[in-house]
Each structure stands twice: as C-alpha cells, then as structure tokens.
Amino acid sequence: MKKMTHKMMLIASCLFCVISCKKVSSEMRKDSSEKMAVGSVIKVACIGNSITYGSGIANRNKNAYPAQLQELLGAWYDVQNFGVSGRTLLKKGDFPYWETQEYKNALEFQPDIVYIKLGTNDSKAQNRVYLKELEANCEELIANFREKNSKVRVVLLLPVPSFSKESTAIWNPVIKNEIIPKLQNVAYNTETEVLDLYQLLIDKPDMFPDAIHPSSLGATIIAKRLYENVKHIKNVVANFVEKESMELLSKENFHGYELINFKLNSWGCKLVKPRREVAGSPWVLRARFWGHQPQTDIALLERGFHIAYIDVANLFGGNEGLERWNTLYAFMTRIGMSKKVVLEGMSRGGLILYNWAVENPEKVACVYADAPVLDGTSWPGGFGKSKKSLTDWEAFKKIYNLDSYAAIVRFSDNPIHKIKEIAAAGFPMLHVCGEADNVVPIDENTKLFEQEIKNNGGDISVIYKENIGHHPHSLENPTPIVDFILRATALKTNFAAIIAPGAEYRSGAGWVEGKGWWYQMQDIDSLCANSGKIDLLLLGNSITQGFGGTRTLTTYKPGNEAENAHFENLKWINAGISGDRTQHILWRVKNGHYNDGNPDFATLAIGVNNFWEDSAEEIAEGIILNIETIQKKLPNTILLFYGPLPVGIDKDSDARSTYNKVHELVSHLGAKEGVYYYNMLDDFTDEKGNLDNTYYSEDGIHLIPDGYEVWAKHIRTEIEKIKSNK
C-alpha cells in the first residue's frame, strides 16, 4: 500500500466525515434531558404552504400532518403548524411566505426542529420566471432560523408530487426537474438535512383528491416519516482523519449529500455520507451502476446510512472483484462502520453480491438484488432465453478461464450453483424483478433461485413487477425495499405498536358522508360514557363495525341480523371502526371512556389492516400491547381475543401466510388470566383450506351476513360457556 502524504492527510482531515461524533451526540441527549428535567418540551415548527396547513383535509385541525405528528410524538413535544395556503418560497413569487404573520410567529417560536415544506406553489407559471433565485431565498430562510436559535435542527422537505394536468398551475415536471434539484443543492451547500416526500407519495395518486393536496391518509404518511426523523436520527457525522493508504480525489453533491471520490490501491471508490447517523453506523456496499435509480440510496442516507462503492466493472463477480470488495469492506470497518453490511446490486451486480456473500456470510446484514444476474450462462452467455451479449460473454469467459465448451459445462461458480451455501448463511434477501425481463429472464435466474432457496430453508422475498422488463430498475417509491433493509438492520420503526389516532375520512368506509374517524371515535366514546353498565364491548375494525348496533353514523351493517339473533338480551356497544389498525385501538382504549360501562366481556379482532405495511412480528407486538392496554384500562373485563380474523381466499396467499404467522406469535396470550384466545380458521375455511365464500366477500377480508352469523354465534356461545364455568 502507498503511504499517505502529509498533504493527503490534511485533505482527509477536512473532507472525510464518517465517524459519528460522540461528543455532539452526548450534548444533544444532555440538552433534551435537561429540557425534560425542567418540564420543558422540544419545539417543532412546521413551515409550509397549503399542504402543511391542511387544505382540503377533512377535520384538518386533527388530520393535517403537523397535528398527526404531535399525536405520534406525544407530550414531550410541542408541534406547531405555521402553514399558509398558496405561499411561495420565492420572495418575488405571487404570494411569498416571507410576508405572512405565521413566518414571524415561527421565528419567534424559536423551534428546536424546523421542517420547511415550500416550493410547490413556486412551480406555477407566474413564479417560474424567478426560479433562479429560489436557492438564495431558501438559504436565507434557513439562515434566519439559525440566527434565532444556533442549535436549531433544520430539515428541508422536498415537495410532494402534483398529479395536476394543468401545465400553467402547479406542475409536476417543474417540481421534479427544477425545484427538487435546487432544494437538494441548498441542502448540500448549507449542510442541511433533507427528506424526500416526493418519492413517498409518487405512486399514490388516489391520496390526492384534487391532484395537488394529499388527503388525511397522505398526511399520515408524511407524519410518520417526520416521526422517524425526529426519533431515530441522532448523531452528527464528524470529521475523521484516515491513516491508511488512500488517495482523495474530490467531493461533490449527491442529491443533497456529500459524496467523496477517492482511491484504494488505485481502484476508484465513492462514499456518500448521511447528514446524521443512527446508532450502529450502518452502511450499504453497492455493486455496479453507480447513481442509477438512486431512490433507495437516498432514502437510506436520510435514515443515517453511508453508501459505499468500488469500481468492479467487467469483473463479473470473479476473484479480482471479490478482492476489491474485501479491501473496501476492511477500509469501511476500520473507520467505524458496522461489521455487517447491506449488499445492493442491479443486474450483473448480482454475481458479485452473492459470490462475496458466500465467502463472507458473517459480514452480511441482508441482500437487495434488483433484476440480478445469477447465472452467467443465461446472461451474458445467452444459452437460454436471453440474447447473448458477445463482448460481455468474452469478458466473462476470460474472468473464469472458460476456454472450452467442456469448461463451460463444468462451470459452477455462479450464484445459482451456490444456493445451499447461501440459504444456510441465513441472511435475508429481497429481489425486485420485472416479470417481462427478456435480458435477465426470471425463469433462469430469480424464479429458479427463489424456489430453491425456499426449498433449502433460506429467507427470500421477491417483488415481481407486472409488464415490466429489465428496466426500469428499483421501485418508483422504494419504501418496500427500504423497510426490508431497516428490518434486517433492526432499525425499522414499528408503527403497529406506537399509539396513534386514525385518519380515515372516506364515506366508503361505511360511514355517513363527512363523518370520518374522529366522529366515529366520539360517537363510540359517547355511548360508552353514557350507557351505564354494559355486558359486551366489541373492539375492532370494519369487520367488527359491520355488526351495526346502536351507532348512528354508520351506514353498512351486514351483521345486523346476526347481532339481533345472538346478542339478544345483552347490553352491548359496537366499538369497531373501519380502517383501524393495532395502533388506533391503542389510542382509543387509552384515551376513551371505554371503562365507564365496566363491561363484563369484550372482544378484540384487530390486525388485518396492518398486513400490507407491517410484518407479522410487528403486528404481533402491536396486538400484545393492545392486550396489555385493554387489561389495564378494563381490569374487570373478560377478553375474547380473536387476533385478526381469517384472511386470504387462497390458503397459499401472502395474506394467509401473514395471518398464520401472527397467530403463531400471539396464541400464547390465551394463557393470560382473563383472556380467551380463538383462532377461527377452521370455522371459515373449506375442506381445501381456502376461505369459504359462503362467509366472505370477494376481497377475502370482509364477512358477509352468513359469516357474521358464525362469528356472532361463537361470541355468544363462549360468553355463556364462561359464565357457566364461573
């Protein structure tokens, strides 16, 4: 290795920031602790336009994203909404935010954290002529908050997408291609944090009723992302002097983050630093195609990951490529990064991902492979459905010394040949593939690999994209990929276990028009507070809500006949709310008057609405917390616990798999005193194990009248049985 010159060390000390600054982190924690000790709170200011204000959102005082963030964060935080409709970041815009009283109030608030979400209205035709001034205006805005409070944490929120077709108004191409890059430049130049809200909502046009403003459910997504940012990004990244042989070349802007170009052993390397770290110093080792479809990397940088890369072009996972990865891994761990690394690769990057992982299984946190090559004879060899890439195939043969047809036939150094070793290593894997890929055909690569990995007990999930070929890689909204990586590195926030109110508002939930979640909650709470002693309280989501009962704001009651037949002579209250998840039941039980009626019995059927966002383990944690909260709030109540009711028409569906896993994880709760646990799978399935359509609607989730007959009868039978055994 070359010795590092004095000049290089000086450059390194100025540029290389990769170790978390423990002193700064300690001071931050001390600052927060001191605030709490004197009874103060952490002040959070939400600066913005109509989207921050909550225009178009039903019950905006409760459902705008600052209000939802307040509920998530709790009493030790004071979240204030300083949003003003129609306002621009540009001083020369038609309605500058700078001129508002809310802006002055926000400065006087002197927040500890300020979220700035401006830029949407700057995309209007009359404002675009001034866009060259946007960066300077934004930098001035940041400076003004820092002048008021030198310790303030400023976070830029990139604008959400616009789905409007009116090109002279708020226009998505301008937001995406002009405003967002300018804001990322500001983040880079001012060393400011930046969160990409655009990618979080780009695949959710249904959450934009007017094509511009997110609904209350869209606001929930924003609030949850800000909660993660407040709670989990802690440590400021500080300077570090690297003492090993390395040649620093330059630094540049990578979507708002500092990218360092350097060399190790004459090999080109890149390292992008987060603005702040998380505990454990996680990092990603990316294979090939640097910067292509960067949305996952950007999302991980936001969450405190470093992204590292070394040039392995045209090495196809052979020994030289593995040597380079070994060198970069050694370098990264020496400077303080985690001993377990996230491996990320696209296309031919799949070869080095798995070949290195087989050699270093103890060093792998997880693998994210996108349309990966797993068999060189498939591509570039073209021995199957794929068209041969002659130049690449010649390079591949040279790397692996395949100088004859016999050598090719005997060749066994592809990932597809190492499935047993990969499965045995135990690290989780996620593949994202286009079903119509004719460059790296899934039948010869991922599908074959997936099946054999599962047959050998390995941990793999695959997202297959319908009608998509080899390109585009990744997902427009990378959340499923990011969540997979966060779970693998033990950094995923479990929102299923974080108390929060709901934000559903749609009348399609079986409600009177305009009477959304908060009205439903208040209706139930009023019944509980004023009904006197009750026999039965039904807790749950839309399936429970479907029983009907004495509620006045619900419109869809398919269980009405069943409750009339089986709840006769019982004084009961239906506390099911459509769309509710485990976290929403937590909020209602904790904050409601459900104990006023001192119910003899309660039922709990919850969790199914969590299935499409949370893992089985996360849902189970939320359910366990539900049981604990209910027993604390209703100590005299016997609980009939159903977990989620059966879902998934096909017994082999993903929904059924999650259902089975959740019940496996919560069945032990039936051993708790006062809790009776039931898994009703046998009651609702046919002889093949599929859901019986006699009882279920076509969505495989909701009961129809005959299904309510089965459930209501079960509830009443169990109540009478428990009573008789007392």
Side-chain angles (χ1 to χ4, degrees):
M1 288 188 172
K2 296 178 183 176
K3 278 195 172 181
M4 195 174 187
T5 66
H6 178 66
K7 180 179 179 181
M8 289 164 63
M9 290 184 68
L10 287 175
I11 296 172
S13 67
C14 294
L15 300 182
F16 228 81
C17 306
V18 292
I19 291 289
S20 61
C21 179
K22 306 301 181 185
K23 181 179 178 182
V24 175
S25 173
S26 175
E27 288 176 353
M28 290 173 65
R29 288 194 297 270
K30 181 181 177 184
D31 184 53
S32 296
S33 298
E34 287 175 351
K35 287 186 177 190
M36 291 187 180
V38 299
S40 186
V41 296
I42 296 173
K43 296 187 290 185
V44 181
C46 295
I47 308 302
N49 46 41
S50 57
I51 294 169
T52 300
Y53 176 79
S55 292
I57 288 180
N59 203 353
R60 79 157 195 95
N61 289 329
K62 296 289 189 181
N63 288 332
Y65 73 78
Q68 294 197 49
L69 178 61
Q70 177 69 78
E71 289 287 349
L72 285 167
L73 289 172
W76 284 114
Y77 293 83
D78 179 11
V79 181
Q80 294 292 321
N81 186 341
F82 296 102
V84 186
S85 293
R87 295 295 166 162
T88 65
L89 177 55
L90 288 163
K91 282 188 168 183
K92 292 181 181 177
D94 51 359
F95 298 106
Y97 185 77
W98 302 80
E99 298 176 354
T100 66
Q101 184 61 45
E102 285 80 358
Y103 170 53
K104 297 173 185 176
N105 294 343
L107 287 173
E108 292 306 312
F109 184 53
Q110 295 188 32
D112 301 292
I113 306 172
V114 57
Y115 289 105
I116 299 174
K117 199 214 152 300
L118 288 165
T120 298
N121 293 303
D122 302 80
S123 71
K124 294 177 180 177
Q126 64 268 32
N127 297 320
R128 294 171 202 163
V129 294
Y130 305 115
L131 281 179
K132 63 180 182 297
E133 300 176 27
L134 188 138
E135 292 183 38
N137 290 167
C138 189
E139 289 181 8
E140 183 180 347
L141 186 65
I142 292 169
N144 289 348
F145 278 100
R146 287 175 173 168
E147 184 179 343
K148 281 288 186 179
N149 176 8
S150 62
K151 295 182 179 179
V152 68
R153 181 177 166 193
V154 181
V155 185
L156 289 177
L157 304 180
L158 300 183
V160 301
S162 166
F163 298 96
S164 171
K165 300 185 184 304
E166 190 177 342
S167 62
T168 58
I170 293 170
W171 189 229
N172 196 62
V174 176
I175 291 173
K176 179 181 179 181
N177 300 320
E178 296 189 56
I179 291 173
I180 285 177
K182 289 179 184 298
L183 293 176
Q184 290 172 329
N185 284 339
V186 171
Y188 178 70
N189 292 329
T190 61
E191 298 184 348
T192 300
E193 291 178 71
V194 58
L195 299 186
D196 191 346
L197 302 185
Y198 184 92
Q199 66 178 11
L200 286 180
L201 292 162
I202 187 58
D203 62 339
K204 295 178 171 57
D206 56 314
M207 289 189 178
F208 289 73
D210 65 356
I212 301 294
H213 299 90
S215 67
S216 58
L217 298 178
T220 299
I221 293 174
I222 297 174
K224 288 163 74 173
R225 183 67 196 93
L226 269 55
Y227 174 89
E228 291 176 312
N229 181 258
V230 170
K231 286 288 192 175
H232 298 294
I233 302 296
K234 301 293 185 186
N235 304 329
V236 175
V237 177
N239 286 335
F240 176 79
V241 179
E242 170 53 37
K243 297 179 180 179
E244 298 293 338
S245 176
M246 56 173 292
E247 181 183 355
L248 288 166
L249 302 176
S250 63
K251 66 176 181 177
E252 59 186 273
N253 179 0
F254 182 83
H255 304 281
Y257 298 88
E258 184 177 89
L259 184 158
I260 304 292
N261 293 296
F262 65 103
K263 285 188 177 181
L264 288 175
N265 293 356
S266 76
W267 302 322
C269 302
K270 297 178 184 293
L271 179 63
V272 189
K273 304 180 304 178
R275 193 64 60 194
R276 291 170 178 262
E277 283 188 355
V278 289
S281 300
W283 61 291
V284 175
L285 177 48
R286 175 160 176 153
R288 299 292 286 120
F289 306 112
W290 175 260
H292 180 64
Q293 297 288 346
Q295 49 267 39
T296 296
D297 293 342
I298 293 169
L300 292 173
L301 284 163
E302 290 179 5
R303 291 164 170 84
F305 284 66
H306 287 73
I307 312 295
Y309 172 87
I310 190 168
D311 182 18
V312 292
N314 301 317
L315 297 179
F316 297 99
N319 289 335
E320 185 178 347
L322 299 182
E323 179 187 354
R324 293 187 187 187
W325 269 34
N326 287 335
T327 300
L328 182 57
Y329 175 87
F331 170 80
M332 293 294 291
T333 53
R334 276 199 304 273
I335 63 173
M337 297 297 102
S338 171
K339 300 295 184 184
K340 283 186 175 287
V341 60
V342 174
L343 304 184
E344 174 191 9
M346 295 179 179
S347 194
R348 70 185 72 184
L351 294 169
I352 194 169
L353 285 187
Y354 283 112
N355 283 350
W356 191 83
V358 167
E359 298 295 326
N360 302 276
E362 75 287 353
K363 300 173 182 176
V364 180
C366 64
V367 168
Y368 157 48
D370 202 293
V373 176
L374 303 173
D375 184 351
T377 63
S378 171
W379 186 95
F383 282 77
K385 297 178 182 178
S386 178
K387 183 179 178 181
K388 177 182 290 187
S389 175
L390 187 58
T391 301
D392 291 311
W393 178 236
E394 290 302 317
F396 186 94
K397 289 194 295 181
K398 186 175 180 180
I399 290 290
Y400 290 103
N401 299 314
L402 303 179
D403 53 6
S404 68
Y405 181 76
I408 294 171
V409 171
R410 292 194 304 269
F411 181 61
S412 60
D413 205 13
N414 284 306
I416 206 76
H417 301 123
K418 303 174 182 179
I419 287 173
K420 289 184 178 180
E421 297 97 311
I422 293 169
F427 49 75
M429 295 163 272
L430 173 68
H431 288 200
V432 177
C433 302
E435 288 188 337
D437 191 339
N438 57 12
V439 177
V440 182
I442 57 174
D443 290 344
E444 300 167 12
N445 292 273
T446 286
K447 279 218 168 184
L448 176 60
F449 183 83
E450 175 193 16
Q451 188 57 56
E452 289 305 309
I453 286 287
K454 289 179 176 178
N455 289 344
N456 283 275
D459 182 358
I460 186 170
S461 301
V462 182
I463 298 173
Y464 290 108
K465 300 180 289 186
E466 292 183 14
N467 303 316
I468 298 295
H470 193 60
H471 294 283
H473 288 297
S474 191
L475 301 172
E476 197 171 28
N477 178 348
T479 296
I481 302 168
V482 174
D483 284 351
F484 162 77
I485 293 170
L486 293 177
R487 289 187 180 104
T489 52
L491 292 170
K492 172 73 168 60
T493 301
N494 183 9
F495 284 103
I498 296 175
I499 183 170
E504 182 59 84
Y505 66 96
R506 296 167 293 189
S507 60
W511 301 335
V512 172
E513 183 73 36
K515 301 300 181 182
W517 190 91
W518 286 92
Y519 288 95
Q520 301 298 325
M521 181 276 296
Q522 291 161 1
D523 187 27
I524 294 167
D525 211 41
S526 177
L527 289 172
C528 290
N530 297 297
S531 293
K533 182 75 173 68
I534 64 172
D535 300 305
L536 176 64
L537 177 70
L538 304 181
L539 291 165
N541 48 40
S542 58
I543 305 170
T544 300
Q545 178 183 287
F547 270 127
T550 55
R551 302 254 297 272
T552 60
L553 301 179
T554 56
T555 58
Y556 181 62
K557 305 175 182 181
N560 191 244
E561 289 186 14
E563 55 105 335
N564 286 335
H566 297 287
F567 297 163
E568 187 181 10
N569 301 323
L570 289 179
K571 190 175 183 181
W572 67 285
I573 293 175
N574 185 341
I577 295 184
S578 185
D580 262 14
R581 302 182 180 190
T582 54
Q583 57 264 46
H584 306 140
I585 295 287
L586 283 172
W587 194 95
R588 291 201 279 129
V589 171
K590 182 178 179 181
N591 293 286
H593 290 81
Y594 294 5
N595 56 325
D596 285 9
N598 192 23
D600 293 325
F601 293 89
T603 66
L604 176 66
I606 197 64
V608 69
N609 290 314
N610 295 83
F611 276 28
W612 289 267
E613 188 170 299
D614 306 308
S615 70
E617 290 78 8
E618 290 161 354
I619 297 167
E621 183 182 345
I623 288 175
I624 290 168
L625 191 55
N626 266 260
I627 300 291
E628 293 173 356
T629 304
I630 291 167
Q631 289 201 299
K632 184 176 181 180
K633 191 71 178 275
L634 306 172
N636 302 316
T637 301
I638 293 172
L639 183 62
L640 308 184
F641 168 51
Y642 291 91
L645 288 180
V647 294
I649 294 174
D650 188 331
K651 66 181 178 62
D652 296 320
S653 66
D654 290 341
R656 182 68 64 80
S657 176
T658 301
Y659 169 87
N660 290 335
K661 184 63 176 178
V662 169
H663 272 271
E664 178 186 330
L665 293 169
V666 301
S667 60
H668 70 280
L669 295 170
K672 291 174 68 73
E673 186 174 351
V675 178
Y676 292 79
Y677 162 76
Y678 309 99
N679 183 339
M680 296 195 68
L681 190 61
D682 290 342
D683 299 88
F684 287 119
T685 52
D686 60 24
E687 65 279 359
K688 295 180 179 178
N690 300 319
L691 285 186
D692 193 328
N693 59 15
T694 304
Y695 307 130
Y696 272 82
S697 65
E698 292 181 356
D699 65 7
I701 297 173
H702 292 92
L703 298 176
I704 57 178
D706 283 352
Y708 280 101
E709 166 68 23
V710 173
W711 191 22
K713 182 178 180 180
H714 188 277
I715 292 170
R716 187 59 186 262
T717 299
E718 292 303 310
I719 287 174
E720 298 305 322
K721 187 188 301 182
I722 293 167
K723 282 181 176 179
S724 67
N725 289 333
K726 279 190 174 182

